[in-house]
Each structure stands twice: as C-alpha cells, then as structure tokens.
Amino acid sequence: MAGEAILIIEDNPTNLKLVKILLLAEDYEVRTAVNAEEALTVLATFHPQLILMDLQLPGKNGLDFTRELKSNPKFKNIVIVALTAYAMKGDEEKAIAAGCDGYMTKPISVVEFPIEIAKYLLKSAAKTKKE
Ligand code: MN
C-alpha cells in the first residue's frame, strides 16, 4: 500500500522526525502537527485515513482531542492510534475509552512500526467500505 494520508500529532521533535521518516519511507502522504490546535488547521484541508495521536500534548491532551474528533461526524471515521511514552497500567484502556482505535508505546520499534501502521490502514479501509 502507498499513498494513504496520515496525520502525526506529536510535540516531541525527535519522535516526530522518526515517525515521519518511517512513514515517508512507506510512501504515505504525511502531515504533522505539534498540538490539537495546529491539527485542526491541518484537518481543514487534509483528510487522513489515520491519525497518530501523542497522548501527552501541550494544551489539550490527546485523550480529550480524540474524544472531540470522535464526536464530530466529519472526523469520527478516521482511525486514531494513540502514542504514549508512559506505558502505565490502564493507559491502553483509557485510550480505547476515549475512542482511540489502537495504542502504541514509545519508543517505537522501527521494524514493527510500519507493520502496525499497515494493519491500521487495512482497518481504516474496512471501516470505509462498511459505510
Ligand atoms: Mn508529547
């Protein structure tokens, strides 16, 4: 697969750079934002199949922003995968409860990451087909 649109929302420059490089290497169309506000600006003109959502964002956190997107008919079909550095017990449950479709822990594995992303994009394609 290639060409699928992905939005990365991540405030850590090092993580953002790594994730972006890995996705560009798979020929995805990638946009980035460092917080919820910037993400909304990007989403006004860019329609991703997948959002990678850092949960620890400055300003509105990733869980609240996910809830907001999932309650908006315009965005509710976008697959959202939570990214968090804090693999705390209960974090995955919190992410799913907020509406995230999946969960990944940082640091990401450069080997596993593209495989996981491809799986989530299949999920996105299946979701779109159903409607
Ligand atoms: Mn962060």
Side-chain angles (χ1 to χ4, degrees), residues 47-113:
H47 308 288
Q49 276 89 62
L50 180 74
I51 292 176
L52 286 168
M53 178 78 76
D54 177 25
L55 293 185
Q56 291 81 31
L57 289 171
K60 186 176 290 170
N61 71 52
L63 290 176
D64 287 340
F65 190 39
T66 297
R67 280 188 206 100
E68 185 180 315
L69 293 174
K70 289 290 183 177
S71 64
N72 186 331
K74 242 166 82 184
F75 304 124
K76 70 175 172 56
N77 289 326
I78 304 172
V79 170
I80 299 180
V81 177
L83 272 178
T84 180
Y86 305 106
M88 303 281 284
K89 204 167 178 275
D91 259 14
E92 181 166 7
E93 288 78 2
K94 268 186 235 166
I96 301 303
C100 292
D101 300 277
Y103 178 92
M104 281 189 226
T105 304
K106 292 185 279 189
I108 57 165
S109 150
V110 295
V111 176
E112 294 296 326
F113 182 74

